[in-house]
Amino acid sequence: MKKLKSIFASVLIYGLLNFSAFSEENEVLLTFKFAQGDKSRILSTVNEDVYVNGNYSHTSEILNRISSEITNVDENGSGECKAIFMTSENSTNKYNGRNYNWGEEYESIFTRDIHGKYDISDIYFMPTVRDVPVFPDYAVKPGDTWTSEGHEAHDLRRTFELAKPFKVPFAATYKYLGDETNEKGTTFNVIEIKYQLYFESPVSSLAGKDRRYIPAITTGYSNQKLWWNNTNGTIDHYTEEFKISIETYSGDRFVFIGKAHAEVTEFERVNTEENLKKISDSINKMGIENVDVKESEKGLTISIENIQFKPDSYELMPSEKEKLKKIAEILKTFDNDLLITGHCARRGTVKNQQIISEERAASVAGYLTELEVRDGNCIFTQGKGAKEPVASNDTEAGRARNRRVEITIMDN
């Protein structure tokens, strides 16, 4: 249940991509405008308090990272999109830096028409909130309102064995509030979106399932505010306040209360031969040992083999900090997010291997944050234990290579 609102609260903002409009006599016609090959990224942060059966449970800070590409545009202007959704939670480390554990990734393919309506198969579980925003087929002026139906699609496969998204409908009310100009002289169209939830799960859809922990009644609200850049046809930023209450058939009640904000950013594709050579040349010029760079699925990966930590700990040795200072200068020449992956040799239990790999990745991420390579919300960590060796674990030389940390400059 913890992740239900975590994923919900932010990925709804995927619907805010690629909007454009034109103005005439203080009216504006809002439509989606897609171009094949367009790429975008959304970063959103959710801060929420979670209550279970009336008692405070915990506070979460969740970062949602959504990257997308328009793969096709039809004659009506509808765009087919391929998107990757990733949700991660905040973690801390001894350097007091902030970074996030790399979460589960979801791939989704869908089409949106020029007004914002989705066409998406039930095999996809993201985005969670769909048909938001939906724009009218007429021009609007400040003060005008309109309504449109939307729905949430929750992923309850693991806990409740529901094969398809669990859909909760709602009716959203929109209001064009007017325009705002920032200190740089950029003018935004400001739009308010509000909706309330009340949904009783149909028993017929749960036939043959153990209904005890499945949502019986879902209630709540979402109040959003969007700042649209009419010149560029994109969202500048977004805020939300929400409360979601879920009561299960067993009588348990989960409440999520919080705030979210998000922005759309561009990203540069880093996985090119030119950048591979650039990084390799820099590593050789600086004389950094036991480090190489390679292409990977997510971008370009700098692999630091035989990385040294103090015995039985995740605290970096001074020699490794000096090495990371040099690598930091390379990383600062790129703006992309970073993924830090820890690996270890096959010693000890599988559980301990996983823990030490996660701790060492967090230690490197914390030090890079301390060096001001990136803000903490642009650095992600994950541990792979001993599952992906690059050499034999039967020799000390092989085990040294497998004790490594990889820094990936991510494409998407």
Side-chain angles (χ1 to χ4, degrees), residues 97-169:
R98 183 179 66 173
N99 52 77
Y100 293 80
N101 292 323
W102 188 256
E104 184 175 0
E105 295 182 41
Y106 294 79
E107 180 178 280
S108 185
I109 298 174
F110 51 85
T111 299
R112 298 196 77 173
D113 67 20
I114 62 173
H115 301 297
K117 284 288 186 179
Y118 274 85
D119 181 6
I120 181 171
S121 169
D122 277 346
I123 67 172
Y124 298 114
F125 289 81
M126 292 291 176
T128 301
V129 176
R130 301 169 183 183
D131 299 337
V132 174
V134 169
F135 300 123
D137 58 2
Y138 52 85
V140 294
K141 61 182 181 299
D144 283 352
T145 62
W146 66 95
T147 60
S148 185
E149 294 182 352
H151 70 275
E152 302 169 18
H154 293 290
D155 184 358
L156 302 183
R157 286 174 294 180
R158 290 185 177 179
T159 309
F160 309 122
E161 298 181 357
L162 298 184
K164 295 181 179 181
F166 180 76
K167 296 182 179 179
V168 180

Side-chain angles (χ1 to χ4, degrees), residues 1 35 68 131 142 158 188 201 228 234 247 341 351 377 387 392 401-402:
M1 283 297 182
S68 68
D131 299 337
R158 290 185 177 179
F188 303 108
S201 305
W228 299 98
T234 59
E247 184 175 337
T341 306
K351 180 179 179 180
N377 60 2
K387 293 179 289 188
S392 171
R401 291 193 61 198
N402 291 332

Side-chain angles (χ1 to χ4, degrees), residues 24-291:
E24 183 174 352
E25 297 180 355
N26 297 321
E27 291 187 339
V28 59
L29 179 65
L30 308 176
T31 64
F32 282 81
K33 184 178 180 181
F34 303 102
Q36 187 169 339
D38 279 356
K39 299 182 179 72
S40 299
R41 182 182 67 182
I42 293 174
L43 291 177
S44 74
T45 303
V46 182
N47 292 279
E48 66 179 10
D49 293 325
V50 182
Y51 298 83
V52 180
N53 296 328
N55 298 314
Y56 172 78
S57 173
H58 61 276
T59 297
S60 292
E61 182 179 39
I62 302 100
L63 186 73
N64 295 277
R65 187 177 187 274
I66 307 159
S67 59
S68 68
E69 179 177 2
I70 302 302
T71 56
N72 186 56
V73 180
D74 68 18
E75 65 276 7
N76 297 316
S78 297
E80 180 183 80
C81 180
K82 180 178 180 180
I84 302 294
F85 297 79
M86 189 281 296
T87 298
S88 56
E89 294 194 32
N90 175 257
S91 63
T92 58
N93 54 70
K94 70 184 295 292
Y95 297 103
N96 296 318
R98 183 179 66 173
N99 52 77
Y100 293 80
N101 292 323
W102 188 256
E104 184 175 0
E105 295 182 41
Y106 294 79
E107 180 178 280
S108 185
I109 298 174
F110 51 85
T111 299
R112 298 196 77 173
D113 67 20
I114 62 173
H115 301 297
K117 284 288 186 179
Y118 274 85
D119 181 6
I120 181 171
S121 169
D122 277 346
I123 67 172
Y124 298 114
F125 289 81
M126 292 291 176
T128 301
V129 176
R130 301 169 183 183
D131 299 337
V132 174
V134 169
F135 300 123
D137 58 2
Y138 52 85
V140 294
K141 61 182 181 299
D144 283 352
T145 62
W146 66 95
T147 60
S148 185
E149 294 182 352
H151 70 275
E152 302 169 18
H154 293 290
D155 184 358
L156 302 183
R157 286 174 294 180
R158 290 185 177 179
T159 309
F160 309 122
E161 298 181 357
L162 298 184
K164 295 181 179 181
F166 180 76
K167 296 182 179 179
V168 180
F170 58 79
T173 300
Y174 298 80
K175 185 175 183 179
Y176 178 21
L177 299 179
D179 298 337
E180 290 184 9
T181 301
N182 66 11
E183 66 279 2
K184 297 181 180 179
T186 304
T187 300
F188 303 108
N189 306 112
V190 185
I191 300 172
E192 180 183 76
I193 305 174
K194 294 183 177 182
Y195 62 82
Q196 294 187 329
L197 296 173
Y198 183 86
F199 180 66
E200 297 182 10
S201 305
V203 176
S204 60
S205 67
L206 306 174
K209 304 294 182 183
D210 184 348
R211 301 204 308 260
R212 286 176 298 169
Y213 306 113
I214 294 178
I217 300 177
T218 304
T219 60
Y221 65 82
S222 174
N223 296 333
Q224 307 165 34
K225 201 172 184 181
L226 316 178
W227 281 259
W228 299 98
N229 186 321
N230 194 41
T231 301
N232 296 336
T234 59
I235 182 176
D236 185 77
H237 58 287
Y238 150 98
T239 62
E240 180 195 21
E241 294 182 354
F242 61 83
K243 178 179 180 180
I244 304 296
S245 175
I246 298 173
E247 184 175 337
T248 68
Y249 278 95
S250 65
D252 290 319
R253 188 165 181 256
F254 301 83
V255 178
F256 308 83
I257 303 173
K259 297 181 179 181
H261 68 272
E263 62 181 11
V264 175
T265 62
E266 298 297 328
F267 69 91
E268 176 187 359
R269 185 160 295 279
V270 69
N271 196 350
T272 65
E273 290 185 7
E274 179 182 355
N275 282 331
L276 179 64
K277 184 177 185 303
K278 172 185 172 182
I279 295 174
S280 296
D281 289 347
S282 295
I283 289 172
N284 292 332
K285 185 177 180 180
M286 292 179 180
I288 309 175
E289 297 181 350
N290 298 318
V291 173

Side-chain angles (χ1 to χ4, degrees), residues 9 49 227 262 293 314 394:
D49 293 325
W227 281 259
V293 59
Y314 52 85
D394 295 332

Side-chain angles (χ1 to χ4, degrees), residues 342-345 350 353-355 357-358 383-388 402:
H343 301 266
C344 65
V350 172
Q353 291 166 6
Q354 182 64 31
I355 291 173
S357 67
E358 292 175 357
K384 292 295 186 73
K387 293 179 289 188
E388 297 182 3
N402 291 332

